[in-house]
Amino acid sequence: MEFSVCRTPIQVSDAAFEIVVAQLRKKPSSVLLLSSGSTPLGLYKRLVAAHRDQDLDFSKAVLIGLDEYLGLDAHYESSFHYFFNHELLSRVNVSRKNVFLFNPHTTDPKKECEKMAVILRHHRPDLAILGIGRNGHIAFNEPGGALNSKCRVVDVSHATRLDNARFFGSLDAVPRQAMTLGIFDILYAHRVLLMATGAEKAHAVHAALDESVSVNCPASALQRHDDTVVLCDAWAASKTRYPPAGPVLGGIEIANVFSLPRGKRVVFLSSRLSDVSLSAGALAQSLARKNTVVSVVAEHAQSFERSVIESQAKSQARMLGFKCLFVRSKAASKKDLLGDEKKWRYLLSTLSPDIVVVPNRFSTDSTDRWVRKVGLAYATTKKRCAVWSFETDRGLFEAKACDLVFEFGTDMLLSKIVAVRRLSHLRHLRLDVSAKSLAVFRKLA
Ligand code: GLP
């Protein structure tokens, strides 16, 4: 199973579009199984546009609808028949003889299903395009149904009727039965493409991908198919155990909180009390949720009001969810710092981090450069210790100097600001310079 996480639903549609277009270009007579619902709408829009503007050709393609409600007479516009025609079929050059949809007006649904089974026998699908229900259903294969099911009439679950009531105006109007291709029919496709967007799908995606195959989550049966592509946005992927790969912007990969590691020991090294919370607070806070995070600060013995500043720094760290330790140096001079090296080495070997986070290499500050050196030296002695770096007002990343950055939500930034306000000496910091560094990335965007 191939799993890709995109940042937004738009990018999910873009990625799905690439897959469908590649399929049609490789084999113009491809047989596609089509899903209804809001998730594939972006994909269908792109296909229509590509047909209009780039001559994407559907003349030989065979398009088959996955499912259909039963008993819709008064609500034809809520039928999948209407949906497929309206969103895709009437807007591309597909030949009507190559379109196979369940008839929503059928008086003999069983016969309609038999008809569809024969069609499938003659047209083995090349690509099944699927969405997923909140309860893990695919097409209308609801939880509890057999995982080797074939085309048949099914009861629509209460949960799915509730979810789909938005297309009907009321729950009462949502049909209780439907016709659907079975799980077996879907797995019969050479390739399966599953799309999921939005946090409400996170639980279903997690059950489908991470848990064992079970009738409780029909989509989990896709694990048995050896060519399944799952495309999710960051929200739908948020409960999975797979680390999502982020999109790339100007050569820099943009990762989000879901890409962060779990279960690691992370140590931030800094030369100022406020650096970790101010400059890397969102990263430290996010990491602290699933990892053990400690921030180690080089402290100068003659620091003004040291005890006040230390207690402020500790409370800041507590708010953000990590621990703060201090290495008190006798003096600020380089010579004395070198004398402290032993202390740092000992502390680091006790903390035994999997990741050390140090000020970046552009810092103009000698203490920054010194703690960076200590971190790098430790990482080279320990197998598999990663080194990350953060930006401060004394060391801005130069454009293109890094290959991955983390992006955080406003909630993170707000709690960081609250934590930072606890430090009374912040009026001395050059916040304007930090703001400028953000602008560098905005320009890249
Ligand atoms: C319906 C369809 C499914 C679809 C699901 C999710 O129940 N039968 O094929 O995947 O809805 O729809 P949406 O993408 O709107 O969340």
Side-chain angles (χ1 to χ4, degrees), residues 61-91:
V62 176
L63 304 182
I64 302 176
L66 275 170
D67 49 3
E68 182 58 276
Y69 289 111
L70 271 173
L72 266 178
D73 290 347
H75 288 277
Y76 172 67
E77 292 198 355
S78 302
S79 73
F80 295 160
H81 197 278
Y82 176 85
F83 173 92
F84 291 130
N85 275 310
H86 187 72
E87 300 298 340
L88 185 65
L89 306 177
S90 63
R91 297 167 190 237

Side-chain angles (χ1 to χ4, degrees), residues 184-203:
F184 177 92
D185 303 323
I186 292 171
L187 296 182
Y188 179 55
H190 290 293
R191 195 166 199 215
V192 178
L193 166 62
L194 177 80
M195 285 180 278
T197 56
E200 65 277 14
K201 300 290 172 68
H203 178 74

Side-chain angles (χ1 to χ4, degrees), residues 280-289 319-322 411-412 415-416:
L283 178 62
Q285 186 185 15
S286 311
L287 280 167
R289 290 181 176 168
M319 273 202 69
L320 296 174
F322 55 89
D411 53 330
M412 288 281 165
S415 61
K416 177 166 113 167

Side-chain angles (χ1 to χ4, degrees), residues 231-252:
L231 293 175
C232 287
D233 67 1
W235 293 111
S238 60
K239 289 195 161 71
T240 61
R241 62 183 148 94
Y242 297 95
V248 172
L249 205 64
I252 298 176

Side-chain angles (χ1 to χ4, degrees), residues 7-76:
R7 210 158 129 222
T8 62
I10 292 176
Q11 288 165 345
V12 169
S13 300
D14 287 342
F17 171 74
E18 296 299 329
I19 292 173
V20 177
V21 170
Q23 176 64 48
L24 285 171
R25 299 233 194 267
K26 186 175 80 187
K27 183 181 169 196
S29 61
S30 289
V31 179
L32 307 183
L33 292 183
L34 301 180
S35 163
S36 58
S38 42
T39 310
L41 279 176
L43 164 66
Y44 297 157
K45 280 203 171 64
R46 281 161 182 70
L47 290 174
V48 169
H51 166 66
R52 190 189 54 223
D53 306 332
Q54 297 155 34
D55 294 331
L56 181 64
D57 183 26
F58 287 82
S59 62
K60 297 193 178 75
V62 176
L63 304 182
I64 302 176
L66 275 170
D67 49 3
E68 182 58 276
Y69 289 111
L70 271 173
L72 266 178
D73 290 347
H75 288 277
Y76 172 67

